[in-house]
Amino acid sequence: MSGGMRPPDRTIPTAPASARALSVAASLVWIPQAFVLAGAVAGVVEGRLAGMADVASAAGLFLLLAVLRAGLDAWSARIAAGFATREKRRLRRMIAETAAAWSPVDATRPAPGEIALLASDQVESLDPYLTRYGPARTRLMVVPLAIALVVAAVSWASALILLLAFPFIPLFTSLIGAEARDRSRAQLAEVGTFTGVLLDRLSGLTTIRLFGAVDRTAEAIADAGDRIRRRTMSVLALAFLSSAVIELFSSIAVALVAVWVGFTLLGWIGFGATLAPVDLATGLFVLFLAPDFFQPLRDFSAAYHDKAAADALDDRLEALVRPARAGIVGTGGRAPTGDAGPPPAVTVEGLTVAAPDGAVLVEGVSLDVAAGERVALFGPSGSGKSTVLAAIAGLVAPSAGTVRLGGAAVDAATADAARGRIAWVGQAPLALAGSLERNLTLIAPGDRAAMDRALAAARLDGLVARLPRGLRTPLGETGAGLSGGELRRLAVARALLADRPLILADEPTADLDAETAEAVRGALAAAAEGRTLIVATHDPALARRMDRVIRLEPRAAGNGIAPAGEDHRTAEKAGADGAAEVMRAADAGAPSRSGDAAVVAGSVAAGEGRA
């Protein structure tokens, strides 16, 4: 199994060919419209269209062409809008599926706020690019050339004026557009970072208040908002500058064409006509076409800024979503419901886990856990305890080796079903903004009797009884309202209610005071009845409650399971010698978990932790 995920392809397509073709056709309809309008105006002025019937006939033809033009344009817009909706849905699905398949072991994952903003507002900002850029670019390639050819058939001088003015506009707008693209990228990155920081500050609002850092945090957020405002205004300033360049050169060119037509009609200029002398009708025809010669440039200029925003989003996708990252095993889909079966035996053979950059997290680990056995993975920081637990749950793909649950290998075909047999109890259990009951039944529903039994086994029944609203007591987004120990006991109760035959617990007593840690130990011991339990811990008191202690050594000392002579039975099975061995193991390792090779902060499918 691979230790890294294949990044999605880098591509944001433009509108389909049908939308582009219809858009071009709609623009070209103006040529016969202009011809009809010029002939009608000249006929009225010269007296050739004296009757109302002649005027009505010309007006009817003009309106018919206008309806055709509007219909083609609306048809093109409808196709482009449907394409944009599908493409945005595809991008959001790709982002969600890619992020869901990232391993919780990977500490380089982007912040949830950045991913949420990317999939919502920033993908939505693609709409103008998806609907306008492709048609505008195609019109730019076709329409000016068609109008120049038609004008040249009447007046080569007017066509020459238009063609000479044309190159200056893309030259200057491309220079401006390059700077606009760089500024758009910087602005989009600033917004993404600001959103992640804002969500982080909101989740830690209680801590900020306790340390009296409210004013400092508010100033930092205000400064970040002001930086975003300045970057946004700089992008808008360049957009207006680009429009000014187009209007300058197009106005000069149209004015020169008007001067030539006027002086020719007055007889002051005798050159520039192509096939026949210019009269009022043909002069008006050229004047009506001249502004539309530059209209595709105006449209493309606006769409080019949309492309700059799309390029900036593509860079964000490249930075956040497309890099190869450690992935989970399987699809991460919902585990099948139903009877999870008896407690499974767990076998790990030659497990090696490496990050996508080649860094080895654990190497050559092998262990056997019997069905219904309670085992502690014990070792100092950096020994890879959390990574081994994650590999057992299929939350990180091994680079080598095999994990088996109940004799069945945990691979891409079986991992989702295997996670349906696992409950996870981590240091930071997932808590949603909602009632205590909603958080208790987050994995699996249960009647009131089942919830009461789970709460009693997790030693939370006394707390619930003291709460005025009981199970209807609201909790905050990160479990605000419960202490760290109470939140972990809620995770144990959730695992009991889900009735999974295998429980994996990652440092469940870390950073807790003695009384709270003992309550968590008791809850875990109750949850382990009739189940297989594997716990990664630094806590010797928790290790003594297990049937067996397996020591892991840091990789610098030869990562792997300790020799067989150091696979220790605890005091409950082997008397005082086993307990003393556990205490000596504790003395050899640091009490902090900050240096663990990897920290699993995620959830087993329908299990515990942060996804």
Side-chain angles (χ1 to χ4, degrees):
M1 288 180 286
S2 171
M5 295 180 55
R6 180 183 179 275
D9 295 333
R10 175 171 179 150
T11 174
I12 298 180
T14 59
S18 57
R20 300 197 299 270
L22 289 168
S23 178
V24 169
S27 296
L28 292 178
V29 170
W30 173 244
I31 296 177
Q33 265 191 293
F35 183 79
V36 171
L37 181 61
V41 172
V44 171
V45 172
E46 294 172 349
R48 289 184 287 105
L49 296 180
M52 289 300 297
D54 294 335
V55 175
S57 176
L61 181 57
F62 181 84
L63 291 176
L64 181 63
L65 290 171
V67 170
L68 175 61
R69 183 179 185 184
L72 292 172
D73 198 49
W75 192 2
S76 170
R78 181 174 181 178
I79 293 174
F83 164 78
T85 299
R86 293 190 299 273
E87 182 61 21
K88 288 184 292 183
R89 187 185 302 121
R90 182 191 71 83
L91 284 172
R92 288 184 172 118
R93 184 184 301 114
M94 181 269 290
I95 293 170
E97 290 176 351
T98 303
W102 287 336
S103 170
V105 172
D106 186 3
T108 67
R109 291 175 302 158
E114 287 190 89
I115 294 299
L117 181 68
L118 182 66
S120 55
D121 291 354
Q122 292 180 352
V123 167
E124 190 63 31
S125 70
L126 275 178
D127 198 75
Y129 169 78
L130 295 172
T131 56
R132 297 194 307 188
Y133 180 75
R137 184 177 62 180
T138 307
R139 289 198 304 273
L140 179 63
M141 293 186 294
V142 175
V143 175
L145 179 60
I147 291 178
L149 290 173
V150 172
V151 170
V154 176
S155 167
W156 62 263
S158 297
L160 182 62
I161 292 171
L162 296 177
L163 292 174
L164 287 176
F166 187 87
F168 290 98
I169 297 176
L171 173 64
F172 285 101
T173 55
S174 63
L175 295 175
I176 297 170
E179 179 64 20
R181 182 175 60 249
D182 294 339
R183 293 189 186 184
S184 292
R185 288 171 177 166
Q187 189 256 359
L188 202 64
E190 188 83 40
V191 171
T193 303
F194 174 73
T195 303
V197 170
L198 182 60
L199 289 177
D200 179 67
R201 298 299 184 271
L202 289 175
S203 64
L205 195 56
T206 302
T207 304
I208 291 172
R209 286 174 175 168
L210 288 174
F211 282 89
V214 174
D215 292 339
R216 213 162 43 245
T217 303
E219 290 174 2
I221 291 174
D223 290 342
D226 190 57
R227 287 196 302 272
I228 292 174
R229 180 189 62 79
R230 288 196 299 269
R231 289 190 183 278
T232 302
M233 293 305 297
S234 69
V235 173
L236 291 175
L238 282 179
F240 287 122
L241 179 60
S242 177
S243 298
V245 168
I246 294 174
E247 294 304 326
L248 173 65
F249 284 98
S250 62
S251 298
I252 292 174
V254 172
L256 289 176
V257 170
V259 168
W260 181 88
V261 170
F263 284 3
T264 299
L265 291 177
L266 292 173
W268 295 356
I269 295 178
F271 67 91
T274 303
L275 299 176
V278 174
D279 57 14
L280 181 58
T282 53
L284 289 174
F285 181 47
V286 169
L287 283 176
F288 288 156
L289 290 181
D292 270 68
F293 177 85
F294 296 100
Q295 188 58 45
L297 273 172
R298 295 186 183 94
D299 297 340
F300 183 74
S301 176
Y304 191 80
H305 291 289
D306 300 332
K307 183 180 184 298
D311 288 341
L313 175 64
D314 204 48
D315 288 341
R316 293 290 288 170
L317 288 171
E318 188 70 19
L320 299 180
V321 178
R322 293 187 179 117
R325 301 185 189 277
I328 64 171
V329 184
T331 65
R334 182 177 293 276
T337 57
D339 184 12
V346 178
T347 302
V348 177
E349 299 174 349
L351 176 68
T352 297
V353 178
D357 62 2
V360 177
L361 304 180
V362 294
E363 184 175 25
V365 172
S366 297
L367 60 88
D368 287 294
V369 177
E373 189 177 16
R374 300 177 301 172
V375 172
L377 301 182
F378 198 88
S381 297
S383 57
K385 305 182 297 299
S386 296
T387 306
V388 172
L389 281 188
I392 293 172
L395 293 178
V396 61
S399 305
T402 305
V403 175
R404 298 181 184 276
L405 297 185
V410 178
D411 54 26
T414 62
D416 292 333
R419 280 189 284 268
R421 307 181 66 192
I422 299 172
W424 182 276
V425 180
Q427 291 190 67
L430 176 64
L432 303 178
S435 67
L436 184 58
E437 180 178 354
R438 182 193 177 197
N439 280 277
L440 177 61
T441 58
L442 191 60
I443 303 173
D447 55 30
R448 184 54 189 262
M451 287 189 282
D452 288 342
R453 288 193 298 271
L455 291 169
R459 302 187 181 183
L460 275 177
D461 51 339
L463 170 68
V464 174
R466 291 193 300 271
L467 294 173
R469 300 177 63 181
L471 285 174
R472 292 192 298 274
T473 300
L475 299 183
E477 185 68 35
T478 57
L482 296 180
S483 67
E486 289 165 348
L487 192 57
R488 293 180 196 178
R489 279 183 280 161
L490 176 62
V492 173
R494 197 151 52 190
L496 285 167
L497 193 62
D499 196 22
R500 303 294 171 81
L502 172 60
I503 298 177
L504 303 178
D506 182 25
E507 300 283 6
T509 59
D511 308 320
L512 299 180
D513 60 79
E515 182 179 353
T516 305
E518 181 57 31
V520 174
R521 294 185 200 108
L524 269 178
E529 292 297 327
R531 297 175 176 84
T532 303
L533 171 65
I534 304 176
V535 57
T537 185
H538 286 103
D539 183 359
L542 177 59
R544 281 197 296 269
R545 289 177 177 263
M546 302 296 107
D547 300 325
R548 185 157 53 107
V549 177
I550 299 177
R551 285 196 58 196
L552 274 71
E553 300 294 343
R555 189 165 179 272
N559 188 297
I561 295 298
E566 296 184 50
D567 181 355
H568 303 295
R569 302 287 169 174
T570 63
E572 296 170 314
K573 293 292 183 181
D577 291 341
E581 193 68 51
V582 172
M583 295 304 295
R584 286 197 295 275
D587 291 338
S592 169
R593 65 182 280 277
S594 60
D596 276 358
V599 177
V600 179
S603 69
V604 176
E608 291 294 340
R610 294 196 179 279

